[in-house]
Amino acid sequence: ARLSRLCFAAVTDRMMTRGSWLPWLLALVQARGAFAFVGFVGLPGETATGTLPQVERPGRLRPASQGHSATAAAAALASSAVAVALLRRNSRDSSAVTGHYQAVRNRVERKWWYIEEDRDPTTLPVWQRDYRYGFQVLRRSMIEARKKGKKVFWDVRVIEVEEKGSKVEMLNSGLIGWMPTSFEGTEERVKVGDVLKAECTACPMQRLNGELKWSPWPNLYKRREKAVPVFSHFLWLEQQRSIKKAKDLKAGSIVKAVVHAHCPKGLVMALEGDEKPKGMLDMNDISRKKSSHKWVDKMFPVGTEMKCFVVHADKRNGRITLSTK
């Protein structure tokens, strides 16, 4: 009995700490079972103290020590039951088998997640469209294209025309976007139902539409409408004009250009032609000496005519690189 109590105390201490206490519990159960086996199925005349067998005489009462042996065996079984109950209770969180399913025990299996959608997303109601899929495709495509130095253009359809712009939807995902009037790129306003090629100039993050109150970046003002992607048909038209002009240019030729705009990278130059295709004059290619933005803005204001040297003209993406060195 004293040995069983020591084993039970050791198991209890082990359970309070993090570690593998299962072997200790099994040792306790085995020890308790051994004492119970000795108490109930021991040799005739054997007591709990382990004395030698005694021969019983007819009509003689059993020693009183055998009663103590039965009490000890009952206590051993009760403590074993308590230990097994504790094991079953704690195994839900500490077992190596069930611990693997801790992260997914709250997930709900939805079979419709695995059904392939073959319908046109633009024919579905807005509340049935998969906006998460649309934003993921849009954002990841832009990131991968930027790594390769390319641009991505999307097919969008005009669904509503307003004074400040037009509301469009992407044909591949049904995602709703916005196109300002200055980004339409045409003399006449677009019409409802027109399908245009457009580049996404701004893709909002998910937190813009669902920022929490206790977030370290709270929204300073409430939006009247949800933040949506911004598209530009004007940039697609500009690229087509540059591609057409790049096919007529050769590296090393001298062309006339006019300063169209200033940007942090350098000067945007408008080349000769009816459509006025654009080329890029980098800050490092203006002069052999280092030029500051303040000096460039003063010496080359918008509208200044310059002769430029064609460094490279890409016929695929329409990128024209100029220099005045």
Side-chain angles (χ1 to χ4, degrees):
R2 181 177 300 176
L3 179 60
S4 63
R5 286 194 295 269
L6 292 176
C7 293
F8 186 80
V11 171
T12 306
D13 295 338
R14 193 64 177 176
M15 291 172 59
M16 298 302 295
T17 60
R18 294 183 179 180
S20 103
W21 48 270
L22 184 59
W24 291 85
L25 185 59
L26 294 178
L28 169 64
V29 175
Q30 292 177 1
R32 292 286 186 170
F35 289 123
F37 180 82
V38 171
F40 284 103
V41 199
L43 294 176
E46 186 178 2
T47 61
T49 58
T51 57
L52 294 177
Q54 298 180 1
V55 180
E56 296 186 12
R57 296 180 181 178
R60 183 179 178 181
L61 297 176
R62 298 178 62 87
S65 58
Q66 292 185 1
H68 296 286
S69 176
T71 305
L77 287 178
S79 58
S80 300
V82 173
V84 172
L86 291 175
L87 172 63
R88 292 180 178 178
R89 180 179 180 181
N90 296 330
S91 62
R92 293 177 298 177
D93 300 327
S94 61
S95 175
V97 178
T98 57
H100 175 70
Y101 301 97
Q102 291 273 336
V104 296
R105 61 184 179 181
N106 294 328
R107 297 183 183 177
V108 180
E109 186 70 16
R110 295 182 175 90
K111 295 184 178 180
W112 58 269
W113 283 2
Y114 306 101
I115 299 177
E116 184 178 0
E117 181 62 72
D118 54 355
R119 295 177 295 178
D120 185 5
T122 58
T123 59
L124 301 176
V126 176
W127 64 273
Q128 289 186 359
R129 301 180 185 181
D130 193 350
Y131 269 57
R132 180 180 178 84
Y133 166 78
F135 272 106
Q136 289 289 342
V137 173
L138 178 62
R139 188 179 298 111
R140 294 184 181 183
S141 300
M142 293 173 60
I143 293 174
E144 294 299 327
R146 181 177 290 272
K147 291 179 181 179
K148 299 178 182 179
K150 300 181 180 180
K151 291 185 177 181
V152 184
F153 296 97
W154 309 89
D155 292 328
V156 298
R157 180 188 291 119
V158 181
I159 58 177
E160 185 178 347
V161 179
E162 300 180 4
E163 181 180 357
K164 297 182 178 180
S166 56
K167 186 180 296 185
V168 297
E169 62 178 359
M170 299 180 65
L171 298 185
N172 66 331
S173 61
L175 190 64
I176 304 298
W178 174 257
M179 183 181 296
T181 306
S182 59
F183 287 0
E184 293 178 359
T186 55
E187 296 181 358
E188 299 180 358
R189 294 294 306 276
V190 296
K191 300 179 181 179
V192 177
D194 293 347
V195 178
L196 308 173
K197 282 279 188 179
E199 180 186 1
C200 181
T201 59
C203 183
M205 301 297 292
Q206 186 178 5
R207 67 181 186 85
L208 290 179
N209 295 324
E211 195 68 48
L212 302 178
K213 295 181 180 180
W214 53 84
S215 173
W217 304 281
N219 292 330
L220 300 180
Y221 59 93
K222 293 184 179 180
R223 295 180 176 271
R224 295 182 179 180
E225 298 179 356
K226 290 186 177 181
V228 296
V230 180
F231 295 92
S232 174
H233 179 59
F234 171 77
L235 295 180
W236 183 81
L237 296 176
E238 284 290 310
Q239 189 192 48
Q240 298 302 313
R241 296 165 185 166
S242 299
I243 291 175
K244 184 178 179 180
K245 184 65 176 180
K247 294 179 180 179
D248 300 334
L249 297 177
K250 294 182 180 179
S253 59
I254 306 298
V255 296
K256 292 182 180 180
V258 180
V259 178
H260 176 72
H262 295 263
C263 65
K265 189 177 180 180
L267 300 177
V268 179
M269 309 297 294
L271 303 177
E272 295 179 340
D274 297 336
E275 298 178 346
K276 295 183 180 181
K278 305 298 187 298
M280 187 66 197
L281 179 58
D282 196 273
M283 290 289 296
N284 298 326
D285 295 333
I286 295 177
S287 176
R288 291 186 176 91
K289 295 183 179 180
K290 188 176 181 180
S291 304
S292 63
H293 286 276
K294 186 176 181 180
W295 181 82
V296 171
D297 295 344
K298 179 180 178 182
M299 299 300 298
F300 307 102
V302 176
T304 304
E305 296 184 1
M306 303 172 61
K307 288 186 177 182
C308 301
F309 173 81
V310 179
V311 178
H312 178 69
D314 196 334
K315 300 178 181 180
R316 293 184 177 180
N317 54 24
R319 187 173 298 170
I320 302 174
T321 306
L322 304 175
S323 175
T324 56
K325 287 185 178 180

